[in-house]
């Protein structure tokens, strides 16, 4: 039996945007057939495409899945005119967008969240607010603080060939991180610690392409790369609020993940109802590098709790 797939837009009122905003979403399965899983993509400023593998849950475990493009990217409203505006591109904006989507879809009273990378940071913060409808949380390949993330990134960078390190440091020092040489050196890091598949899945390629087309959100909030974080996210942390997360929580990362165990550990130590699984031979995208196992682990966790 074919899984129903629907998509559309919801209005998102952002008074400071200066124009009408919409959030695009896609639903796999029937929202009325069980507790839906809402996927929060990373970046910030990426698109839903690289999370499409989790839509397998609709067929394998009869769990409806909702994916969406966060404001500023993909099919949702773009705001290139807000580039560099750190008062506009905030964590609160994306928390508000998530709440709006849940309400507009009518699932605010019963849902689970899977956040990947930045999406896991957003999902964790959402869970600390103890929304009544949240039944379970999955934090995938995400840090509990950016201080820990940058420490981990520094240790991984030190393992790269010296000439690659030199190129990265030169362009970061000179402010020329938009150069092709810098991007090529970044690929060495990415191929080891972000996605180890060769060739990359088309869905992951589209994610990278989208960031090139409109890097507004990523450059404003994060900076030019995974390891050169100079935007306001460099000071982000949820550690002091982790004890407020009361729903069952699953932590995921890869053996060679840029989200090393050290950045995940506070979640494990401070959340009361928590499990942790690390995917062997995977890096930052186990949802592709170990697709079947990823869906199995997530599906079994959710089936026992939602």
């Amino acid at each position: 039996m074919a899984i129903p797939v629907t998509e559309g837009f919801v209005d998102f009122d952002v008074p400071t945007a200066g124009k009408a905003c919409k959030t695009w979403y896609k639903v796999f399965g029937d929202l009325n057939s069980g507790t839906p899983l809402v996927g929060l993509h990373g970046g910030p400023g990426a698109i839903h495409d690289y999370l499409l593998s989790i839509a397998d849950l609709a067929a394998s475990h009869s769990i409806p899945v909702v994916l969406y493009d966060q404001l500023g990217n993909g099919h949702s409203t773009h705001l290139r005119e807000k580039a560099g505006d750190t008062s506009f591109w905030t964590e609160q904006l994306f928390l508000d967008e998530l709440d709006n989507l849940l309400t507009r879809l009518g699932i605010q009273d019963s849902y689970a969240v899977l956040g990947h990378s930045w999406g896991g940071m957003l999902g964790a913060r959402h869970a600390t607010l103890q929304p009544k409808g949240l039944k379970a949380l999955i934090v995938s390949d995400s840090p509990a603080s950016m201080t820990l993330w940058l420490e981990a990134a520094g240790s991984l960078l030190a393992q790269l060939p010296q000439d690659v390190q030199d190129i990265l440091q030169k362009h970061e020092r000179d402010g020329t991180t938009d150069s092709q040489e810098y991007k090529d050196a970044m690929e060495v890091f990415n191929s080891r610690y972000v996605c180890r598949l060769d060739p990359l899945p088309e869905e992951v390629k589209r994610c990278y392409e989208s960031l090139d087309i409109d890097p507004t959100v990523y450059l404003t909030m994060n900076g030019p790369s995974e390891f050169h974080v100079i935007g306001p996210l460099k000071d982000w942390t949820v550690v002091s609020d982790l004890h407020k997360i009361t729903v069952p929580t699953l932590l995921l990362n890869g053996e060679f993940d840029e989200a090393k165990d050290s950045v995940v550990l506070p979640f494990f130590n401070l959340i009361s109802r928590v499990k942790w699984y690390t995917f062997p031979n995977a890096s930052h995208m186990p949802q592709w590098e170990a697709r079947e196992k990823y869906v199995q682990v997530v599906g079994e966790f959710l089936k026992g709790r939602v």
Side-chain angles (χ1 to χ4, degrees), residues 173-190:
R173 183 176 61 250
D174 296 345
T176 52
T177 53
D178 57 349
S179 71
Q180 190 58 48
E181 186 179 46
Y182 184 80
K183 293 177 181 178
D184 291 343
M186 278 176 53
E187 284 305 308
V188 179
F189 181 91
N190 292 343

Side-chain angles (χ1 to χ4, degrees), residues 108-163:
Q108 72 277 11
D109 292 332
S110 183
Y111 63 96
V113 161
L114 184 155
H116 178 269
S117 199
W118 148 253
M121 297 158 63
L122 185 65
R125 183 73 73 193
H126 176 74
T128 67
L129 302 175
Q130 301 181 348
K132 66 176 184 179
L134 181 65
K135 304 305 181 185
L137 171 68
I138 301 167
V139 177
S140 184
D141 315 272
S142 305
S145 87
M146 289 302 286
T147 296
L148 293 173
W149 176 270
L150 292 172
E151 289 174 356
S155 69
L156 296 176
L157 284 168
Q159 298 174 34
L160 298 181
Q162 189 59 51
D163 61 329

